[in-house]
Amino acid sequence: MSDNARLLPWLGSSGQRSYLVTDDGASHLSRLADEMEEAQLQAGAVLLGHAAGILEAERTNPWELRYLSARLTEALRDALRVAESRGERLPRSQDMPPG
């Protein structure tokens, strides 16, 4: 795979990982991926706040906890994909200028 391959924040039609290969970080698809990553991270933050409220409640039924666990799992999966994608785009130490 090219050094310019970017892991996209969504899966392909068959559930496979999708990559964008481009030297243009401002292309339409690159900007769309940036916006999707931001939306995923924001949704995770909102969900985390909601989870705190549910867990502080004196009584929470098992269905609510199961649903919350499923949504938190999805949000964590998205956040890890964003982190992996962004980590892969960081300059490697051998690529950085000295100093």
Side-chain angles (χ1 to χ4, degrees):
M1 192 160 301
S2 167
D3 288 341
N4 297 325
R6 173 187 179 166
L7 176 62
L8 293 172
W10 54 79
L11 297 176
S13 58
S14 301
Q16 78 279 13
R17 296 165 66 110
S18 298
Y19 290 88
L20 171 64
V21 179
T22 183
D23 290 326
D24 182 4
S27 70
H28 176 70
L29 195 52
S30 292
R31 287 191 320 272
L32 181 63
D34 290 341
E35 291 168 7
M36 175 65 97
E37 286 179 351
E38 185 62 30
Q40 288 172 327
L41 294 175
Q42 286 178 357
V46 169
L47 181 60
L48 187 57
H50 184 65
I54 287 176
L55 295 174
E56 288 173 1
E58 283 190 36
R59 297 184 70 133
T60 304
N61 72 49
W63 184 90
E64 288 175 305
L65 291 174
R66 175 170 282 183
Y67 184 80
L68 175 63
S69 297
R71 302 298 72 81
L72 286 170
T73 300
E74 291 168 357
L76 180 57
R77 187 177 298 121
D78 288 344
L80 290 173
R81 187 180 303 117
V82 170
E84 180 181 355
S85 177
R86 292 181 180 183
E88 289 174 353
R89 289 181 278 143
L90 290 173
R92 309 256 187 297
S93 58
Q94 68 268 19
D95 297 337
M96 297 176 66

